[in-house]
Amino acid sequence: MRQMEGLSWTEIEAQQAGARNRLRKHHAQAIDTLCDAAQRRLGELGHLAEVLPDELFRFRLNGPGRLWGLRVPEDDTFYVLWWDANHAVYPTDKS
């Protein structure tokens, strides 16, 4: 994360991962595509659940690890919701 603190959101979103299939390394993800447990947890957040956007933003940091949170474009802020060490919030066959 320290390497990204001086980058713009455009630069962050332009970063790619993967040797063959160049995928965006950091990106928004629709909440309705997250695992059931993550969706339930978001619903348990009380007043926060009422103001959540339709998507969260996630950073790919190390191997399967992902940092999930809310991106607020108005003030270029990222609010951390959780650390997903095992890529379980949005599991894929490749994780």
Side-chain angles (χ1 to χ4, degrees), residues 34-42 44 82:
L34 306 181
C35 71
D36 291 342
Q39 291 184 51
R40 276 193 306 277
R41 178 64 184 128
L42 288 171
E44 295 168 357
W82 58 67

Side-chain angles (χ1 to χ4, degrees), residues 18-32:
R20 281 187 256 154
N21 301 327
R22 303 297 290 172
L23 304 171
R24 288 181 302 146
K25 192 172 181 181
H26 318 292
H27 59 82
Q29 185 72 46
I31 289 176
D32 64 0

Side-chain angles (χ1 to χ4, degrees), residues 51 58 63 69 89:
V51 296
R58 63 100 166 154
V89 171

Side-chain angles (χ1 to χ4, degrees), residues 11-90:
E11 292 168 320
I12 290 170
E13 290 182 305
Q15 292 182 4
Q16 296 182 333
R20 281 187 256 154
N21 301 327
R22 303 297 290 172
L23 304 171
R24 288 181 302 146
K25 192 172 181 181
H26 318 292
H27 59 82
Q29 185 72 46
I31 289 176
D32 64 0
T33 65
L34 306 181
C35 71
D36 291 342
Q39 291 184 51
R40 276 193 306 277
R41 178 64 184 128
L42 288 171
E44 295 168 357
L45 295 177
H47 68 281
L48 178 60
E50 297 171 14
V51 296
L52 281 174
D54 294 334
E55 61 187 22
L56 298 179
F57 195 86
R58 63 100 166 154
F59 285 95
R60 176 182 179 170
L61 298 181
N62 65 341
R66 305 292 188 264
L67 186 65
W68 290 85
L70 300 172
R71 178 180 167 199
V72 181
E74 294 81 19
D75 61 7
D76 287 334
T77 305
F78 178 75
Y79 295 96
V80 175
L81 286 176
W82 58 67
W83 168 244
D84 178 16
N86 299 312
H87 202 318
V89 171
Y90 180 72

